[in-house]
Amino acid sequence: MSERLPCQTPGCTGSILPATALKTGGICMPCQQRKLAEERQAYIEQNRKEVNRYAGIHDPVEILTMLHSPRKPDPLIKEVPYPRTAQELYHGLTEEERGRMESYAVHLLEEEDIDQAETVLVSLLCFTDTRLGPGLEMLLHTGNYAPAILFKDADAQVRDRLIAQVESDPVNRNLLLLALAWIGDEEVVRLFAAWRQSPPEWASALYIAPEMYAREAGWELDAGGGKRQLYHPECYPFLVSREDTLEAPGAPAAVQMLQTGTHACPWCGGALTVLFDYDLQHPQVRFMELPGKRLRIAACMHCNCYGTVYMKADLEGGYAWSEYNVVPGYLPDNTGGALAFNTWHVMQLSEQPAGTYESAYWVLEAPASQIGGHPAWIQDADYPACPCCAQTMTFAAQADMGQVAEDEGIYYAFLCRECLITAVNYQQT
Ligand SMILES: [Zn+2]
Ligand SMILES: [Zn+2]
Ligand SMILES: [Zn+2]
């Protein structure tokens, strides 16, 4: 057995065989590997080239197709990111350009690049409210029924194909019911009401009654079998306000987001947060059709992560912990203390309306803080029932923590206007 030699790296306590020392110049293998990695890194840094593959390209359709097909990262290439988001580019598309994007999605479906095709089609639908034609046709042709929101404005012909198929296709039944819910026209409402009256044979194999799929598309059947919408079509986004624009507040916004409340949470002792503070006299929130002065929707940012929290509100800005609240089965101690508000971004309600479905498909990761519009469910739709009258509560607003702080998840706020009870729940991935 040969004698081991100490590694020559200063401070290293490793020892090596003479044969290894010959190969490495006297250092141990871990030191050798570190040295090689450092050399490689230095080489990359010296030789890395900045590449702007968008330089000289002005066609938004071409830019979007490039954004939708990212290249494999190459350590020797530093890509200059495109200065605008895909969402911003979609907003600016002309009708002709939207048509070209849809054709591109059809091409992707032919190539069986389903994920990218879906992203393009959902972006067209949510960001530009395009009425899909060939894209939808191709989805049906290739047997793709998800995401169901793509069927939102589908015509009677597509609807009738889905209605026929839902009876005969148990494998896709779940997706077909979701697609029908998104179509949600008079015929679908009639069909769902008929199913509620006398459930089809296949209904027993579903987790929920077939008519309950309507919730995923933001509506439900009322007692008489009519359609009851669970959100407001009017929608205004909150924008992250840059520090340097804070000095010029202008007129007070219609809704302020995330203010420290005056009451303490009876469950954890932390301060309640007023998630949304509405100036009910402001023209921007007239669509709520609420008389009075102020509506404050409060929550406990901690406890709300574990269950729904209800508040009794009035229309003068008052709010109180509701007697209907039930302690969640699992509720860890609030060790975080008071949330560090000063590290949060300031959120400013935009005066420019956004599309109703702008953030409805959460997977697009569009910023989602907003009042009105369709909620951005991360999990299944979860409209709370009013604990007082049992009516499903209407979605009012949502706070996307990814925009607000280095955080994740979305807080969703609801209102029962008859009982003046608010509810807040929370979802994350
Ligand atoms: Zn060593
Ligand atoms: Zn609490
Ligand atoms: Zn109620």
Side-chain angles (χ1 to χ4, degrees):
M1 204 175 126
S2 50
E3 201 182 327
R4 293 180 76 89
L5 304 167
C7 167
Q8 292 304 303
T9 308
C12 179
T13 55
S15 65
I16 47 172
L17 294 169
T20 313
L22 274 177
K23 268 188 279 179
T24 64
I27 59 175
C28 70
M29 283 316 281
C31 285
Q32 168 80 346
Q33 267 148 19
R34 202 172 318 122
K35 192 176 142 216
L36 290 175
E38 278 164 12
E39 281 168 9
R40 167 103 185 117
Q41 194 53 38
Y43 177 81
I44 288 171
E45 269 157 35
Q46 270 164 28
N47 294 282
R48 182 155 44 193
K49 284 196 188 73
E50 201 165 75
V51 174
N52 183 359
R53 57 186 186 123
Y54 303 101
I57 302 175
H58 302 290
D59 177 11
V61 173
E62 195 178 341
I63 294 167
L64 276 171
T65 57
M66 290 165 75
L67 285 175
H68 285 310
S69 47
R71 284 195 201 158
K72 260 203 202 129
D74 178 340
L76 286 173
I77 290 176
K78 185 168 181 274
E79 293 248 10
V80 178
Y82 192 71
R84 299 170 73 199
T85 64
Q87 187 180 19
E88 287 166 337
L89 283 168
Y90 274 102
H91 285 161
L93 293 183
T94 64
E95 202 180 329
E96 185 263 342
E97 288 161 349
R98 297 202 299 257
R100 282 166 59 209
M101 282 310 292
E102 190 170 352
S103 303
Y104 172 60
V106 170
H107 168 73
L108 289 171
L109 282 168
E110 283 164 353
E111 305 270 291
E112 293 186 18
D113 191 348
I114 311 294
D115 289 352
Q116 286 308 350
E118 277 174 13
T119 303
V120 173
L121 292 174
V122 180
S123 300
L124 281 170
L125 192 95
C126 293
F127 298 155
T128 74
D129 224 9
T130 296
R131 217 189 157 98
L132 299 176
L136 211 52
E137 198 52 46
M138 193 63 192
L139 278 175
L140 286 175
H141 182 70
T142 51
N144 288 294
Y145 309 105
I149 194 172
L150 289 174
F151 290 84
K152 183 166 70 75
D153 298 314
D155 60 21
Q157 220 183 331
V158 170
R159 177 201 66 206
D160 291 342
R161 275 165 75 174
L162 297 181
I163 290 176
Q165 202 179 337
V166 82
E167 296 292 336
S168 61
D169 185 353
V171 174
N172 289 306
R173 188 165 286 139
N174 194 48
L175 296 172
L176 293 163
L177 286 168
L178 285 171
L180 285 172
W182 271 107
I183 293 175
D185 63 6
E186 276 178 37
E187 188 55 40
V188 171
V189 173
R190 253 199 302 277
L191 182 67
F192 278 28
W195 283 338
R196 182 171 66 180
Q197 202 72 37
S198 52
E201 217 173 282
W202 42 260
S204 57
L206 303 170
Y207 288 106
I208 54 170
E211 70 275 10
M212 295 301 280
Y213 280 76
R215 299 276 187 99
E216 293 296 328
W219 60 280
E220 65 176 7
L221 292 173
D222 62 20
K227 183 178 187 176
R228 185 171 171 262
Q229 197 89 359
L230 299 173
Y231 59 91
H232 299 275
E234 297 85 353
C235 180
Y236 292 93
F238 286 92
L239 306 175
V240 178
S241 170
R242 288 188 14 234
E243 310 272 329
D244 54 4
T245 63
L246 282 180
E247 293 307 314
V255 183
Q256 314 273 345
M257 195 174 138
L258 294 164
Q259 298 170 315
T260 310
T262 45
H263 314 332
C265 169
W267 289 344
C268 72
L272 293 179
T273 298
V274 178
L275 274 181
F276 301 102
D277 183 352
Y278 289 74
D279 171 2
L280 295 175
Q281 315 262 300
H282 199 290
Q284 235 181 309
V285 293
R286 208 161 276 162
F287 69 86
M288 300 278 286
E289 292 177 8
L290 290 168
K293 287 202 189 81
R294 296 204 86 84
L295 172 67
R296 292 196 170 105
I297 302 182
C300 173
M301 304 294 276
H302 170 72
C303 298
N304 246 140
C305 295
Y306 306 95
T308 305
V309 171
Y310 302 97
M311 297 279 169
K312 182 84 187 101
D314 57 40
L315 298 179
E316 301 296 316
Y319 59 93
W321 192 258
S322 165
E323 63 204 1
Y324 294 107
N325 280 320
V326 179
V327 189
Y330 172 71
L331 185 62
D333 285 346
N334 185 358
T335 49
L339 283 153
F341 273 83
N342 50 358
T343 66
W344 290 13
H345 299 129
V346 174
M347 304 295 290
Q348 195 96 40
L349 189 69
S350 168
E351 289 176 8
Q352 295 301 314
T356 307
Y357 307 96
E358 195 79 26
S359 63
Y361 190 61
W362 180 79
V363 184
L364 291 179
E365 295 187 35
S369 297
Q370 66 189 41
I371 60 165
H374 190 282
W377 297 117
I378 297 173
Q379 311 288 341
D380 289 344
D382 183 15
Y383 294 88
C386 172
C388 182
C389 72
Q391 179 87 264
T392 309
M393 299 174 84
T394 304
F395 172 72
Q398 64 196 6
D400 178 347
M401 296 313 284
Q403 262 179 301
V404 172
E406 294 292 297
D407 210 340
E408 57 163 347
I410 297 178
Y411 290 90
Y412 308 84
F414 306 86
L415 173 70
C416 175
R417 54 188 305 126
E418 276 70 38
C419 308
L420 288 181
I421 287 181
T422 66
V424 172
N425 59 26
Y426 172 83
Q427 292 184 349
Q428 61 175 26
T429 46

